[in-house]
Amino acid sequence: MNASYDKNAAVVVLPPVANGRLQDRTLRAWLAQSDLTQETGPKERLARIIQETGLPYPEQGLAALRLWGQIGDRPTKWIAAVDPVYLEPRLDHLCLHELRCAGVESSQMRSLTNHLQATIATGSEYGFLRLGSYGYLSSRSPVATATMPAYVVDQQRPDDFLPSGDDTAAHRNLLSEIEMALHEHEVNQTREANGQQPVNSLWLWGGGTAPEQIARTQPPLFSDDALLTGYWYSGKGVTEPWPGSIAGCIDQSIAGFVAETPEFHDNAELLESCLTELREALRSGRLSSLTLLFRDGVRAHVRRSHGLRVWRRSSHLLEAARDK
């Protein structure tokens, strides 16, 4: 897809295909006929979709776009996202664990952000707020932040993703205050008593202001992802919640589309049902090409003509992924 996008193509973000999730042999054989690659390097979902559609990637302000997607109006302040994380001390380094996917209740985020607002934001230029399960930091002056959300950094050394340069002192100082304020908070005492990892830090990322709204030619979006929704709002694009199936996306669109399955619904049944519906849309001519972005980094580009590759019945990439 480019700025005018292919009206017969779809870009779809799907659950992971690794760990033996895709059991249907006919679907594995169908994917084996496609152009399969394993993406390298850390990349958040908006960046993966942008790469396929040819749309412009925001220079800054990802957190403000996410907030825009939640509230429906363009934020006017400088905003950064704050993701709840657990920094695990290991022998010679820290390991970051992203906790939102693991389960941090909205009430817990509210308690933590209210505590931070009362302890370190009072009388300062910072402000903390919580909307749903997401946390945000507003600031009168820009603060250096990471560019990647916490889910990209999960199970890795955070140092490799932190901002660098001469303007990071404010980030380090603020993070130290946050970690001191979170230490032994009652939310963490409850979590540890329940066998859960405590929220001993926050991951600050995506700082900036929202771009001005400007009309772009882009396909309709079907997603519950607040960041994707906010980006589509910024381009005056058509966006709808995930309808529950690929068939629902096809019924609600007259041409190509971008779709993302729900973030926390990474089950094998959803994966196989979506692939079955996409395969049928390709075979029937409703779509001429597909770009499938699996959440474990596998990418498949599928065209109708790929069905002529009858000699391809398996893929080392898919089999290797199943053996992980």
Side-chain angles (χ1 to χ4, degrees):
M1 291 185 180
N2 54 30
S4 60
Y5 80 90
D6 185 344
K7 302 298 192 298
N8 293 309
V11 175
V12 185
V13 179
L14 292 166
V17 74
N19 298 319
R21 291 173 183 267
L22 187 57
Q23 295 295 309
D24 189 302
R25 293 182 179 180
T26 63
L27 289 173
R28 291 206 307 271
W30 174 64
L31 285 180
Q33 293 174 334
S34 68
D35 293 330
L36 279 167
T37 55
Q38 176 72 50
E39 295 182 331
T40 59
K43 196 176 295 182
E44 47 85 20
R45 282 186 291 275
L46 176 61
R48 296 182 74 190
I49 291 172
I50 289 297
Q51 182 174 322
E52 305 297 340
T53 59
L55 293 166
Y57 191 74
E59 295 182 1
Q60 49 94 34
L62 292 182
L65 282 173
R66 192 180 76 177
L67 182 58
W68 191 346
Q70 287 189 276
I71 64 178
D73 294 315
R74 177 183 177 273
T76 57
K77 295 182 178 179
W78 187 97
I79 298 288
V82 291
D83 292 349
V85 298
Y86 170 61
L87 298 180
E88 177 194 4
R90 294 191 174 176
L91 185 60
D92 60 350
H93 68 278
L94 292 174
C95 179
L96 183 142
H97 298 267
E98 194 273 329
L99 294 180
R100 183 173 169 271
C101 293
V104 175
E105 299 174 2
S106 295
S107 60
Q108 293 180 333
M109 278 300 295
R110 179 175 63 249
S111 180
L112 292 174
T113 52
N114 287 349
H115 177 66
L116 292 173
Q117 180 65 27
T119 55
I120 67 176
T122 301
S124 74
E125 63 176 13
Y126 301 124
F128 291 89
L129 64 98
R130 187 269 321 175
L131 189 59
S133 61
Y134 292 119
Y136 295 96
L137 167 76
S138 64
S139 176
R140 297 176 187 172
S141 303
V143 177
T145 62
T147 58
M148 299 285 185
Y151 70 80
V152 177
V153 191
D154 188 45
Q155 307 296 318
Q156 300 183 67
R157 299 176 67 141
D159 293 354
D160 298 334
F161 298 87
L162 289 170
S164 60
D166 297 333
D167 59 345
T168 59
H171 174 273
R172 291 194 300 270
N173 293 339
L174 176 59
L175 199 58
S176 295
E177 291 186 58
I178 289 172
E179 291 173 354
M180 290 179 62
L182 294 179
H183 184 61
E184 295 187 351
H185 188 277
E186 61 182 11
V187 164
N188 288 327
Q189 294 177 1
T190 300
R191 290 180 61 86
E192 290 183 292
N194 293 333
Q196 298 173 301
Q197 294 170 325
V199 181
N200 64 0
S201 187
L202 296 177
W203 184 253
L204 280 62
W205 69 277
T209 56
E212 296 293 335
Q213 191 176 44
I214 182 171
R216 291 189 298 262
T217 302
Q218 56 195 52
L221 170 72
F222 299 95
S223 173
D224 299 327
D225 188 301
L227 176 54
L228 297 186
T229 300
Y231 179 83
W232 251 252
Y233 284 163
S234 73
K236 298 184 178 181
V238 175
T239 177
E240 296 288 344
W242 166 250
S245 66
I246 294 297
C249 299
I250 292 174
D251 289 343
Q252 296 182 48
S253 61
I254 59 174
F257 58 87
V258 172
E260 180 194 32
T261 59
E263 182 179 10
F264 300 134
H265 295 179
D266 284 349
N267 57 72
E269 291 79 11
L270 177 62
L271 172 64
E272 294 194 356
S273 66
C274 287
L275 288 175
T276 298
E277 291 175 327
L278 287 165
R279 180 177 60 182
E280 178 56 32
L282 201 64
R283 287 177 174 174
S284 67
R286 172 60 178 81
L287 297 169
S288 61
S289 69
L290 303 168
T291 300
L292 310 179
L293 305 175
F294 300 95
R295 282 195 168 93
D296 51 9
V298 176
R299 175 190 181 275
H301 183 66
V302 197
R303 292 186 175 277
R304 294 183 68 189
S305 59
H306 289 170
L308 299 175
R309 298 172 171 178
V310 294
W311 62 91
R312 289 193 184 182
R313 303 304 299 169
S314 63
S315 165
H316 173 72
L317 180 59
L318 280 180
E319 297 304 317
R322 292 181 69 243
D323 293 338
K324 286 182 181 180

